[in-house]
Coordinates of all heavy atoms in Angstrom, one line a residue:
Chain B
A116 N -8.3 -13.3 26.9 CA -7.4 -12.1 26.8 C -6.7 -12.0 25.4 O -6.6 -10.9 24.9 CB -6.4 -12.1 27.9
E117 N -6.4 -13.1 24.9 CA -5.7 -13.1 23.6 C -6.6 -12.8 22.4 O -6.1 -12.6 21.3 CB -5.0 -14.5 23.3 CG -5.8 -15.7 23.4 CD -5.8 -16.3 24.8 OE1 -5.7 -15.6 25.8 OE2 -5.9 -17.6 24.9
D118 N -7.9 -12.6 22.7 CA -8.8 -12.2 21.6 C -8.9 -10.7 21.5 O -9.5 -10.1 20.6 CB -10.2 -12.7 21.9 CG -10.3 -14.3 21.8 OD1 -9.6 -14.8 20.9 OD2 -10.9 -14.9 22.6
T119 N -8.2 -10.0 22.5 CA -8.1 -8.5 22.4 C -7.5 -8.1 21.1 O -6.3 -8.5 20.8 CB -7.3 -8.0 23.6 OG1 -8.0 -8.3 24.8 CG2 -7.1 -6.5 23.5
A120 N -8.2 -7.3 20.3 CA -7.7 -6.9 19.0 C -8.7 -5.9 18.4 O -9.8 -5.7 18.9 CB -7.6 -8.1 18.1
V121 N -8.2 -5.3 17.4 CA -9.1 -4.5 16.5 C -9.6 -5.5 15.4 O -8.8 -6.3 14.8 CB -8.4 -3.4 15.8 CG1 -9.3 -2.7 14.8 CG2 -7.9 -2.3 16.8
Y122 N -10.9 -5.6 15.3 CA -11.6 -6.5 14.3 C -12.1 -5.7 13.1 O -12.8 -4.7 13.3 CB -12.7 -7.2 15.0 CG -12.3 -8.3 16.0 CD1 -11.7 -7.9 17.2 CD2 -12.3 -9.6 15.6 CE1 -11.3 -8.9 18.1 CE2 -11.9 -10.6 16.5 CZ -11.3 -10.2 17.7 OH -10.9 -11.2 18.6
Y123 N -11.6 -6.1 11.9 CA -12.0 -5.5 10.7 C -12.9 -6.4 9.9 O -12.7 -7.6 9.8 CB -10.8 -5.2 9.8 CG -9.8 -4.2 10.4 CD1 -8.6 -4.7 11.0 CD2 -9.9 -2.9 10.3 CE1 -7.6 -3.9 11.5 CE2 -9.0 -2.0 10.8 CZ -7.8 -2.5 11.4 OH -6.9 -1.6 11.9
C124 N -13.9 -5.8 9.3 CA -14.6 -6.6 8.2 C -14.1 -6.2 6.9 O -13.6 -5.0 6.7 CB -16.1 -6.4 8.3 SG -16.8 -4.8 7.8
A125 N -14.1 -7.1 5.9 CA -13.5 -6.8 4.6 C -14.4 -7.4 3.5 O -14.9 -8.5 3.7 CB -12.1 -7.3 4.5
R126 N -14.5 -6.7 2.4 CA -15.1 -7.3 1.2 C -14.1 -8.0 0.4 O -13.0 -7.5 0.1 CB -15.7 -6.2 0.4 CG -16.6 -6.7 -0.8 CD -17.1 -5.5 -1.6 NE -16.1 -5.0 -2.6 CZ -16.4 -4.1 -3.5 NH1 -17.6 -3.5 -3.5 NH2 -15.5 -3.7 -4.3
D127 N -14.4 -9.2 0.0 CA -13.5 -10.1 -0.7 C -13.8 -10.1 -2.2 O -14.9 -10.1 -2.6 CB -13.5 -11.5 -0.2 CG -13.0 -11.6 1.2 OD1 -12.4 -10.6 1.7 OD2 -13.1 -12.7 1.8
S128 N -12.7 -10.1 -3.0 CA -12.9 -10.2 -4.5 C -11.5 -10.5 -5.0 O -10.5 -10.1 -4.4 CB -13.4 -8.9 -5.1 OG -13.6 -9.0 -6.4
N129 N -11.4 -11.2 -6.1 CA -10.1 -11.6 -6.7 C -9.2 -12.2 -5.7 O -8.0 -12.0 -5.7 CB -9.5 -10.3 -7.3 CG -10.2 -9.8 -8.5 OD1 -10.7 -10.5 -9.3 ND2 -10.4 -8.5 -8.5
H130 N -9.7 -13.0 -4.8 CA -8.9 -13.7 -3.8 C -8.1 -12.7 -2.9 O -6.9 -13.0 -2.5 CB -8.0 -14.7 -4.4 CG -8.7 -15.7 -5.2 ND1 -9.2 -16.9 -4.6 CD2 -8.9 -15.8 -6.5 CE1 -9.8 -17.6 -5.6 NE2 -9.6 -17.0 -6.7

Side-chain angles (χ1 to χ4, degrees):
Chain B
E117 55 265 36
D118 296 319
T119 293
V121 175
Y122 286 74
Y123 297 99
C124 70
R126 187 183 84 175
D127 294 348
S128 183
N129 295 317
H130 300 278

